[in-house]
Amino acid sequence: MDGKQAELAVVVGATGDFGQAIVGRLLQAGLGVVAVARSAGSLDALCSEFAGVGAGVRACVADIGDDSAIAALTASVDRPVRAVVHGPGVAVAGGILNAPTAALVDAVNIKVGGLLRLVRAVDERLVAGSRLIAIGGHYGFEPTAYAASAGIANAALVNAVRQLSLAYGERGITAHLIAPGPADTARLHRVAADRAAMRGVTVDTVLDDMRAESSIRAFTTPAQVAWAVSTLLAPEADAMTGATLMLDSGRRRGLP
């Protein structure tokens, strides 16, 4: 890198299926990555997987659901931050009539509170052209009978991203939301197994039903989400600030 240290990307939820794919794409883009998760063991495994790749990965053990994460994140960044990617998952927790209220509050705290903690922690390292990227989900636009906490938290995230786009716009910093549909991950297969047990059908039946909700009969993949993150690094993506990039494989049918 001509003796210069690479700019950083900070990825929350780095050890999940989405996070691992995103880390790989950001390394390919020439950024150093600060990988954030609660488990030191999973972070060690991630760092080992990407050892020697690109500008490298450093681990930051932090619980983004708690204000203590701010100090840990601040201490982990020592040069300009080109991008932050906030992608922690939340519990499905059931429908609106039976989901515990604590689960709903926790989901909003992780999705929205976590994003704000992340941004505040790196604020002094952001530069013109930096990207604030949140991974939400199409349940914030299309409510479902079994994922009230995810729907409410992701809907709140839409507004938070728009507010960040206004607050940071004068500094040339943009904010973006990526909203995948159900993704082909280990978590989705666990959800499908739970739904299959409740319905008394096979897991494959549930997965087929979920695929049928998509106009292309497909799940979103972690690689597609990582592609979207890397695409937002382009200068042309400035015009997308405050907007949602839908990666739902054609599940959303209504108008905005």
Side-chain angles (χ1 to χ4, degrees):
M1 302 282 301
D2 297 327
K4 293 175 62 178
Q5 289 184 305
E7 292 180 310
L8 293 174
V10 183
V11 181
V12 173
T15 59
D17 289 327
F18 283 173
Q20 292 179 56
I22 290 167
V23 168
R25 288 293 293 238
L26 292 172
L27 289 170
Q28 290 176 19
L31 297 175
V33 175
V34 176
V36 185
R38 290 181 295 180
S39 167
S42 60
L43 283 171
D44 288 344
L46 181 74
C47 291
S48 295
E49 178 183 352
F50 289 106
V53 178
V57 180
R58 68 177 71 169
C60 175
V61 179
D63 180 358
I64 202 64
D66 189 271
D67 284 349
S68 63
I70 296 175
L73 288 163
T74 300
S76 295
V77 296
D78 57 0
R79 51 189 186 272
V81 172
R82 178 72 169 82
V84 298
V85 183
H86 182 63
V90 296
V92 174
I96 194 64
L97 297 181
N98 54 30
T101 54
L104 304 180
V105 172
D106 187 53
V108 175
N109 176 46
I110 291 171
K111 286 282 189 176
V112 178
L115 175 62
L116 297 182
R117 293 180 185 103
L118 172 59
V119 172
R120 292 172 184 179
V122 304
D123 179 87
E124 293 185 357
R125 297 288 185 176
L126 298 173
V127 296
S130 291
R131 305 295 194 221
L132 313 178
I133 303 169
I135 310 296
H138 93 298
Y139 291 153
F141 299 88
E142 297 285 350
T144 70
Y146 64 89
S149 59
I152 289 169
N154 286 325
L157 197 58
V158 175
N159 188 276
V161 166
R162 289 183 176 178
Q163 293 200 45
L164 287 170
S165 74
L166 293 173
Y168 279 95
E170 291 186 359
R171 291 171 56 182
I173 298 163
T174 60
H176 309 267
L177 178 66
I178 297 172
D184 193 6
T185 63
R187 181 174 181 270
L188 176 75
H189 286 262
R190 290 195 298 271
V191 170
D194 290 342
R195 291 176 66 184
M198 287 188 294
R199 290 172 53 189
V201 298
T202 67
V203 173
D204 285 341
T205 296
V206 172
L207 292 173
D208 287 343
D209 289 346
M210 295 177 76
R211 289 189 187 93
E213 296 169 358
S214 158
S215 61
I216 59 173
R217 303 297 191 268
F219 294 124
T220 305
T221 68
Q224 290 167 334
V225 175
W227 163 83
V229 170
S230 62
T231 297
L232 289 173
L233 298 177
E236 293 82 359
D238 285 353
M240 296 177 66
T241 191
T244 299
L245 183 57
M246 299 295 296
L247 266 69
D248 64 348
S249 299
R251 282 176 169 78
R252 186 182 181 195
R253 307 294 170 84
L255 296 172

